[in-house]
């Protein structure tokens, strides 16, 4: 099975025509045959892993349920790929991208082990392969490169987390310049070793025509949701809200967020857990940053969040919890 960039980081799901956020959001427990260990977005739909088997989410009945799809199988990673990482496939000029050159020179281990990536491979649709290698002072503290056309020129940029050994994490954008891929801009690093941040979504969250990148700064200790606008090749922070998280220490699940138009205004919103992981919060940035919903969860959020488009209703969300429970969050 191909490894695909989660829809929550690649774009957004639109609400059905005429839908609006008129009812109450609720979390419903889904009966599962085994403990849920993962949720992944595959071909634009959430795929649930329970007992090592794949299931699709079914919302056609009165209660949400699962439909069996088969045994969970993954394609082998390319040679020298970062263990546990994802090969991302693109739809524009970049065919594939993945992290390589495993290294232990940082040792933070926030993603489950002390092995990070020293380089990124970008494979373009013309068959060329490009390597973006970092110096000895930094690593890619990341598992999934994110492809997005940030400047609207029809070509994808790559969004990654770069961590300096002495200055902590920065958000970096990799783009093609004069025939080669390189880091063209990055946010200021967080200032000290072992300070990390996790991207939460890429979309035009404010409706101003510029692409924004949402991230959670230090999701384990600070919990600041920040919005960075990509404009004229530079990143500029435009908004910040407190009280969020999108990662559990030691977990490889980096997709604890979802991008969709939840309130029906035609602009993408963002769903992600509260800082204590006990609630799912939905945030809109238009016309100003604000929470538009907060839904209590029966147990702490612990894994990736999947989003499912629906006709004439806001998108539904699939959330994996720490006790192995699966819940569907929806508003009918």
């Amino acid at each position: 099975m191909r490894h695909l960039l989660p829809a929550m980081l690649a774009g957004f799901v639109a609400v059905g025509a005429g839908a609006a956020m008129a009812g109450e959001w609720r979390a419903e427990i889904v009966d599962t045959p085994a403990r849920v260990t993962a949720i992944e977005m595959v071909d634009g739909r959430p795929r649930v892993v329970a007992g090592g088997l794949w299931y699709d989410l079914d919302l056609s009945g009165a209660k949400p349920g699962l439909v069996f799809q088969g045994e969970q199988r993954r394609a082998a990673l390319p040679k020298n790929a970062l263990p546990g990482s994802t090969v991302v496939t693109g739809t524009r000029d970049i065919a594939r991208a993945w992290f390589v050159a495993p290294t232990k020179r940082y040792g933070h281990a926030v993603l489950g082990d002390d092995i990070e990536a020293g380089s990124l491979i970008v494979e373009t649709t013309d068959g060329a392969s490009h390597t973006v290698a970092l110096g000895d002072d930094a690593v890619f503290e990341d598992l999934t490169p994110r492809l997005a056309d940030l400047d609207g020129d029809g070509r994808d940029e790559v969004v990654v987390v770069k961590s300096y050994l002495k200055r902590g994490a920065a958000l970096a954008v990799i783009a093609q310049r004069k025939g080669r891929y390189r880091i063209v801009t990055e946010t200021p690093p967080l200032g000290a070793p072992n300070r990390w941040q996790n991207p939460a979504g890429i979309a035009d969250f404010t409706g101003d025509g510029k692409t924004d990148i949402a991230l959670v700064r230090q999701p384990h200790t600070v919990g600041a949701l920040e919005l960075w606008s990509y404009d004229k090749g530079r990143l500029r922070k435009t908004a910040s809200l407190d009280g969020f998280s999108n990662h559990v220490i030691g977990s490889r699940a980096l997709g604890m967020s979802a991008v969709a138009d939840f309130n029906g205004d035609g602009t993408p919103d963002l769903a992600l857990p509260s800082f204590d992981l006990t609630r799912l919060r939905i945030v809109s940035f238009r016309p100003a940053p604000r929470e538009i919903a907060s839904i209590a969860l029966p147990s702490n959020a612990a894994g990736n969040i999947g989003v499912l488009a629906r006709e004439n209703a806001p998108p539904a969300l699939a959330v994996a919890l720490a006790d192995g429970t699966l819940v569907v969050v929806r508003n009918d």
Side-chain angles (χ1 to χ4, degrees), residues 153-293:
D153 67 353
R155 299 185 301 179
D156 274 334
E157 284 74 39
V158 189
V159 178
V160 296
V161 177
K162 173 186 177 181
S163 290
Y164 291 90
L165 275 58
K166 294 183 179 180
R167 295 184 290 157
L171 184 79
V173 174
I174 294 169
Q176 188 185 79
R177 295 289 188 270
K178 297 181 179 179
R180 59 184 291 264
Y181 283 85
R182 62 180 180 86
I183 294 176
V184 295
T185 187
E186 59 185 69
T187 62
L190 296 180
N194 300 345
R195 292 180 181 177
W196 182 73
Q197 55 195 5
N198 187 23
I202 301 174
D204 178 9
F205 289 109
T206 62
D208 64 356
K210 298 181 178 65
T211 301
D212 307 297
I213 304 171
L215 62 84
V216 178
R217 175 167 56 89
Q218 295 173 253
H220 319 118
T221 58
V222 175
L225 174 61
E226 297 181 350
L227 200 65
W228 291 78
S229 178
Y230 186 78
D231 185 24
K232 298 179 181 178
R234 294 290 181 264
L235 289 166
R236 177 173 56 89
K237 186 165 69 172
T238 58
S240 182
L241 293 171
D242 292 330
F244 297 88
S245 182
N246 63 344
H247 185 254
V248 175
I249 291 179
S251 171
R252 293 188 176 274
L254 300 186
M256 291 181 67
S257 56
V259 177
D261 180 7
F262 292 109
N263 61 5
D265 67 354
T267 301
D269 308 305
L270 185 65
L272 68 169
S274 59
F275 183 66
D276 63 4
L277 304 174
T278 64
R279 306 185 70 84
L280 187 69
R281 303 179 65 185
I282 302 178
V283 175
S284 174
F285 293 93
R286 182 182 182 185
R290 69 197 190 283
E291 179 183 277
I292 57 177

Side-chain angles (χ1 to χ4, degrees), residues 282-313:
I282 302 178
V283 175
S284 174
F285 293 93
R286 182 182 182 185
R290 69 197 190 283
E291 179 183 277
I292 57 177
S294 180
I295 305 98
L297 301 172
S299 176
N300 284 9
N304 290 340
I305 297 174
V307 60
L308 184 64
R310 298 187 294 162
E311 290 292 333
N312 300 313

